[in-house]
Amino acid sequence: MTPRDVLWRIARDEPGLRRWIVANPAADAALLEFVSQAGGPYVRESLQILFDSMEGRPPRGQERISSTAA
């Protein structure tokens, strides 16, 4: 697991890597809030995937697949 101090450094200094912090289990609520506010490429999409998974929703695009398709 990546140490939190390393995650915070990435969050502050590497906007292109912020989306990957969202998927890291060591990222706490404060770090996710910072990443959300700071933004960066694909941060919004990454957070949406995280929130959808927490609510038991299928990944975007997958909800259109019919159970009768198989």
Side-chain angles (χ1 to χ4, degrees):
M1 193 173 337
T2 308
R4 280 200 193 115
D5 61 323
V6 173
L7 291 176
W8 274 101
R9 190 200 62 75
I10 293 169
R12 283 191 310 271
D13 301 336
E14 303 291 339
L17 298 178
R18 289 181 186 142
R19 66 179 160 166
W20 300 111
I21 292 172
V22 175
N24 193 301
D28 61 12
L31 182 54
L32 292 175
E33 178 66 25
F34 176 85
V35 168
S36 173
Q37 295 298 317
Y42 301 104
V43 166
R44 182 180 299 175
E45 293 87 344
S46 298
L47 288 166
Q48 189 62 56
I49 291 167
L50 174 65
F51 297 145
D52 286 350
S53 72
M54 293 170 71
E55 294 178 2
R57 293 185 205 158
R60 294 194 177 239
Q62 296 292 319
E63 66 273 359
R64 287 183 242 143
I65 298 175
S66 169
S67 61
T68 60

